[in-house]
Amino acid sequence: MATQMQLARQGVITEAMKIVAEQEHVTAEFIREGVANGTIAIPCNINHKNIIPRGVGTGLTVKVNANIGTSSSYPDPEPELAKLQAAIDAGADSVMDLSTGNNISASRQAIIAASTVMVGTVPMYQVTVETIKKRGAVVEMTKEDIFDVIRQQAADGADFMTIHCGINKNVLKALIDEGREMDVVSRGGSFITGWMLHNDAENPLYEYYDEILDICAEYDVTISLGDGLRPGCIADATDRAQIQELLNLGELTQRAWDKGVQVMVEGPGHVPYNQIAANMQLQKRLCHGAPFYVLGPLVTDVAPGYDHITSAIGGTLAAVSGANFLCYVTPAEHLGLPDLNDVREGVIATRIAAHAADLANGNKQAWEWDLKMARARKVLDWPAQLDLAIDPVKAKEYRCRKNKSDDEACSMCGDYCAVKIVGQYLEEHMRKN
C-alpha cells in the first residue's frame, strides 16, 4: 500500500488530503503538493481507524500536541485515557503516548483506539523498559529488541514515532569535547547515549535507519526525527552537539523522503529568547523545509510551576519563525506527572501561543476569529464572547464568579466601562448628525 507521500507524488489527492484542505480552507492541490515535496505531513497510520486527519507544515495553522502516558510511579492506564479526552476537549491536535509503566502495549492500544486525533509514540521507552525486565540494564538491548517494538507500535496504529536516529559517534564526540551543564535530558536520547558509550558502538537507529524506514512505509507512519541532544537548560542552547545532530537530521530527512516516508523534525528544548528565531531558520534550511516540531522552547530555567507560560512565550516566536507544531508543556513540567488540570492548562497555553503565531503569520481564519471577538466585545454581547473564548469553560466560570447575572459591563470597570460610555456618545453623535 502506498504512503500519503508516494500517492501525492503520483498526483493522487487522497481522502485525508481533502479533509485537511477543508480544515485549513485551502485547496486540496495545495495539500497534495506540500505532501509531495515534504513541507506538509499528514501523520495517519493505515491502522488508526477512527482518526480525523490533520496536516502539519508550511502554510497551515500551527498544531498543538499533548503528552500523556503512564510512568513507573503511576502505572494505571485509566487516568491516561481521561487525560486523552481532556486534551481533545481542550483542542489538542495530537497526543503522544509516553508510557513507561506496566502494560505499555495495552496502554498504547487503548489510547489509539479511543483517539480521534493523531497519536505519537517513542519506541525507545518501551524497548528500555522491556530490556531492563529481561536483562537488567538498557545497555543490554539488541537490534532485535528495538525493531520488534518499532514494528509492533507501527502495527498498532501509531501515526508518528519519535526515533532518535540523529545521534551518532560524531555527535557524541561533540558532546564530550565541548561539555555541557546538563549533558542529555531527552529520555530516549539518554538511553541511546548510554548504550553507545557502554558498548563503544554506533547507534543502531542510525546504523539501520533504512530498515526503520521500510517499517514506516509499510504502515504509513510519519517518522519524527528526535532531537536526543536537545538543550535541557539555557546554558546549553545552540551548542556543537545540538547542531551536529541537526546536520544528521537533515541527511536523514532526505533519505526518508527518498523512500516516500513522511518526516517531521523535532527541535529544542530550552533556548533563550534571542536565539529562537535563528534556531528555527537553521532547522528549516538544514532539513529542507520539513515540518518542525518543537518542545517549547522554554525561555528560562527558573519557573517550575509556570513552565506552561515560559513555553508559550517561546512557542509563539518559534512558530512565527518557522515551527509548525508545538508540543505542550504543563505547569507540572520538571516537577511531576501532569494531572487532568495540568493537561488542560498545558493545551490551552500552547493553543494561545499557536494562535498568536497564526495571527502574526497572517492566517485568515485566525484573524476572523479575533475580529468576531472584538465585535462581540463592542456590543457587550457576553454569550458570544464566552463562546468565542479559546477556553470557554474558564471564561464562563470567571464571568459568573466575578459579576452579577444582570451586569451589562464587567465588574472591573462597572459603571465606567469605556466601551459602553463611548458607544453611548457615538450613538448620540450619529443621531445628531
Side-chain angles (χ1 to χ4, degrees), residues 343-356:
V343 168
R344 181 175 182 81
E345 290 288 313
V347 171
I348 295 297
T350 310
R351 283 188 63 208
I352 293 168
H355 179 68

Side-chain angles (χ1 to χ4, degrees), residues 178 231 233-240 242-243 246 268-283 292 294 297-299 314 317-318 321:
E178 181 163 339
C233 66
I234 293 297
D236 292 336
T238 326
D239 69 354
R240 290 206 312 271
Q242 177 194 336
I243 302 305
L246 182 59
H270 291 240
V271 181
Y273 193 82
N274 63 307
Q275 293 181 25
I276 290 174
N279 267 259
M280 302 305 113
Q281 291 157 11
L282 186 62
Q283 184 279 339
F292 199 22
V294 297
L298 286 77
V299 295
L317 180 56
S321 304

Side-chain angles (χ1 to χ4, degrees), residues 304-337:
Y306 298 91
D307 276 328
H308 58 313
I309 296 175
T310 64
S311 173
I313 292 169
T316 294
L317 180 56
V320 169
S321 304
N324 311 106
F325 197 9
L326 303 181
C327 184
Y328 86 168
V329 172
T330 77
E333 184 79 6
H334 302 112
L335 300 172
L337 193 71

Side-chain angles (χ1 to χ4, degrees), residues 25 61-62 64 89-93 347-348 350-359 362-377 383-393 395:
H25 295 193
T61 54
V62 178
V64 171
D89 290 345
D93 300 290
V347 171
I348 295 297
T350 310
R351 283 188 63 208
I352 293 168
H355 179 68
D358 287 337
L359 287 169
N363 182 270
K364 185 178 179 182
Q365 295 177 75
W367 277 89
E368 288 175 350
W369 186 4
D370 275 55
L371 186 58
K372 288 177 182 177
M373 178 64 87
R375 288 171 175 168
R377 282 180 172 158
Q385 290 181 60
L386 299 177
D387 287 341
L388 286 164
I390 202 166
D391 184 357
V393 174

Side-chain angles (χ1 to χ4, degrees), residues 37 190 207 232 262 356:
N37 64 33
S190 72
E207 188 173 2
Q262 299 184 98

